[in-house]
Amino acid sequence: MSEVPTIELNDGAKIPQLGFGVYQIEPGETAEATRKALELGYRHIDTAEMYQNEAGVGQGIRDAGIDRAEVYVTSKLNNGFHKPDDARRAFDSTLAELGFDYVDLFLIHWPLPTLYDGDFVSTWQTLEEFKRDGRARSIGVSNFQVPHLERLAKETETVPTVNQIEVHPYFTNDEVRAYGQQHGIATEAWSPIAQGAVLGDQVVQGIADATGKSPAQVVLRWHIQRGDIVFPKSVTPARIKENLDIFDFELSSDDADALTELNKGEKGRTGPNPDSFDYIPS
Ligand SMILES: NC(=O)c1ccc[n+]([C@@H]2O[C@H](COP(=O)([O-])OP(=O)(O)OC[C@H]3O[C@@H](n4cnc5c(N)ncnc54)[C@H](OP(=O)(O)O)[C@@H]3O)[C@@H](O)[C@H]2O)c1
């Protein structure tokens, strides 16, 4: 199996382009899934306070017997904690749950523009503190739309290293991706296989048949060739292995274009629209 490439972020840090996502993995199953992924060769785990499984991620890394420094760990600020003091407490709790004294990357999970008087700027400035004190090696955002990124650019010191947004062949999210490309913000594509929804598509299946790869591998490879960072989630060992095995083939530009043309615009979005999403977990 070929090695996972890294991408250099705008603060000089390097992130493995493929990782393992743990959204919707039960807290009690997370340590084992994480350990399995690491055993198979993953070195990048994407979790969040909202997923309630940071403790399992930390445990899985320790169970795998791999040095903390060899694994790239991302977590995200939960929606209820945007005010600076709440964000400071929440970040302390993230580190305590993981059992580590730093994360590689910490993100604002959602911009929540209709809550907190639309103030995600003071939240971002609080993440800048975590970066300065070294407990977050890099900081970034998730689900930020172009106006949100423009506001950070105008009102704060630090350009986010990444913007983690929904991207897959049915929702290519072009405008937000293009803004990132123009401003040195790496795109992390969440739900890279649209939670399975794109895998039965005839175009995807046709390319899979022609390349001898699975539909999931074809779609993940498309993301990699576009330069995005991905972390497919699976609790199925054979799929965890399959999703990593995408570095020994290349899609032709015609095949890559055919996948891009599956874009359905807003109709293809599977998750909430960040402009109106206002969920606060209880
Ligand atoms: N920032 C955000 O707001 C946000 C939102 C959503 C997701 N994310 C991140 O992105 C990660 C990935 O997104 P996601 O979990 O929503 O969806 P996803 O990775 O696109 O899809 C996961 C689903 O696809 C199935 N699957 C995985 N590999 C497969 C394969 N090779 N063949 C067939 N089916 C396969 C999994 O099933 P099994 O598990 O049953 O095998 C699971 O049902 C998350 O885990 C999380 O880290 C972030």
Side-chain angles (χ1 to χ4, degrees), residues 21-23 46 51 76 109-110 142-143 164 190-196 199 216 231-236 239 242-243:
V22 298
Y23 174 47
D46 184 87
Y51 307 165
K76 318 183 190 87
H109 205 149
W110 290 88
S142 178
N143 299 302
Q164 184 177 128
W190 64 249
S191 290
I193 56 172
Q195 299 205 333
L199 303 182
F231 21 78
K233 169 266 178 187
S234 178
V235 290
T236 314
R239 289 175 173 174
E242 175 186 323
N243 295 344

Side-chain angles (χ1 to χ4, degrees), residues 47-51 76-79 82 107-111 140-144 164 190:
T47 184
E49 292 170 0
M50 202 186 287
Y51 307 165
K76 318 183 190 87
L77 182 71
N78 211 344
N79 286 353
H82 272 213
L107 310 180
I108 300 179
H109 205 149
W110 290 88
V141 295
S142 178
N143 299 302
F144 272 47
Q164 184 177 128
W190 64 249

Side-chain angles (χ1 to χ4, degrees), residues 85-103:
D85 274 346
D86 293 336
R88 291 182 189 111
R89 275 189 292 271
F91 186 59
D92 288 346
S93 160
T94 276
L95 295 179
E97 288 286 311
L98 286 164
F100 298 142
D101 55 9
Y102 72 95
V103 287

Side-chain angles (χ1 to χ4, degrees), residues 85-256:
D85 274 346
D86 293 336
R88 291 182 189 111
R89 275 189 292 271
F91 186 59
D92 288 346
S93 160
T94 276
L95 295 179
E97 288 286 311
L98 286 164
F100 298 142
D101 55 9
Y102 72 95
V103 287
D104 295 278
L105 177 61
F106 196 63
L107 310 180
I108 300 179
H109 205 149
W110 290 88
L112 306 177
T114 63
L115 299 179
Y116 303 106
D117 299 323
D119 174 24
F120 46 75
V121 171
S122 66
T123 316
W124 180 246
Q125 287 163 335
T126 311
L127 264 65
E128 289 179 321
E129 287 174 23
F130 307 154
K131 162 93 180 154
R132 275 196 299 274
D133 71 24
R135 293 183 304 151
R137 297 271 164 95
S138 297
I139 53 174
V141 295
S142 178
N143 299 302
F144 272 47
Q145 305 276 60
V146 170
H148 308 144
L149 296 167
E150 283 172 339
R151 187 161 165 213
L152 287 188
K154 228 185 264 163
E155 298 181 33
T156 73
E157 301 289 316
T158 318
V159 178
T161 55
V162 308
N163 187 18
Q164 184 177 128
I165 53 174
E166 180 175 350
V167 183
H168 46 73
Y170 285 167
F171 184 60
T172 53
N173 216 339
D174 295 331
E175 205 195 325
V176 185
R177 264 185 99 245
Y179 183 94
Q181 270 162 357
Q182 285 152 16
H183 295 86
I185 302 170
T187 294
E188 296 193 323
W190 64 249
S191 290
I193 56 172
Q195 299 205 333
V198 295
L199 303 182
D201 190 282
Q202 278 188 352
V203 171
V204 176
Q205 189 61 59
I207 298 170
D209 291 344
T211 54
K213 287 288 188 174
S214 73
Q217 289 172 323
V218 163
V219 174
L220 293 170
R221 181 72 209 178
W222 170 81
H223 285 285
I224 296 291
Q225 289 183 205
R226 283 154 55 92
D228 290 353
I229 298 156
V230 282
F231 21 78
K233 169 266 178 187
S234 178
V235 290
T236 314
R239 289 175 173 174
I240 301 176
K241 187 165 191 281
E242 175 186 323
N243 295 344
L244 183 62
D245 186 15
I246 58 169
F247 298 102
D248 63 349
F249 79 115
E250 198 150 337
L251 298 173
S252 67
S253 55
D254 282 354
D255 284 349

